[in-house]
């Protein structure tokens, strides 16, 4: 078993109502409560795909824009999604 680096970039989690500016309509990961099941299904499918492979250690690197316009509501959702990834992929913090 080897180590793996999982690289995720440009999530652009978006506030869906356009309260703070133009909404990124191309983003699957958004604050629309009606799409929450679909969004979690997307995260679950990513987790399941990565878990098909056995590795000694897994490292997660996230680059690019995490949110669309850096609003607190977007970051709150980012924390929820990223916590789910880290917990389910058994990635432990080095800090």
């Amino acid at each position: 078993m080897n180590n793996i680096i999982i690289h995720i970039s440009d999530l652009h989690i978006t506030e869906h109502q356009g309260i703070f500016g133009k909404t990124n309509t191309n983003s699957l990961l958004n604050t629309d409560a009606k799409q929450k099941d679909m969004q979690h299904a997307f995260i679950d499918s990513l987790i399941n795909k990565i878990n098909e492979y056995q590795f000694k250690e897994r490292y997660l690197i996230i680059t690019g824009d995490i949110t669309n316009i850096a609003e607190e509501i977007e970051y709150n959702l980012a924390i929820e999604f990223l916590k789910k990834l880290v917990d389910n992929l058994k990635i432990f913090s080095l800090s």
Side-chain angles (χ1 to χ4, degrees), residues 13-55:
I13 296 172
T14 302
E15 181 278 318
H16 79 289
Q17 294 177 334
I19 295 170
F20 305 107
K22 186 177 180 200
T23 299
N24 178 0
T25 57
N26 294 326
S27 180
L28 171 66
L29 302 176
N30 61 62
T31 61
D32 187 350
K34 295 176 188 172
Q35 295 182 6
K36 196 159 189 102
D37 289 343
M38 181 177 60
Q39 295 166 7
H40 279 280
F42 173 75
I43 299 295
D44 290 341
S45 68
L46 177 62
I47 290 166
N48 291 337
K49 188 55 145 172
I50 294 168
N51 278 331
E52 287 179 6
Y53 303 96
Q54 296 298 315
F55 297 95

Side-chain angles (χ1 to χ4, degrees), residues 73-91:
I73 189 170
E74 295 171 336
Y75 280 110
N76 290 340
L77 190 59
I79 289 167
E80 179 182 333
F81 287 145
L82 295 176
K83 181 172 177 12
K84 185 172 186 173
L85 276 174
V86 167
D87 290 348
N88 285 278
L89 293 175
K90 297 175 181 63
I91 296 171

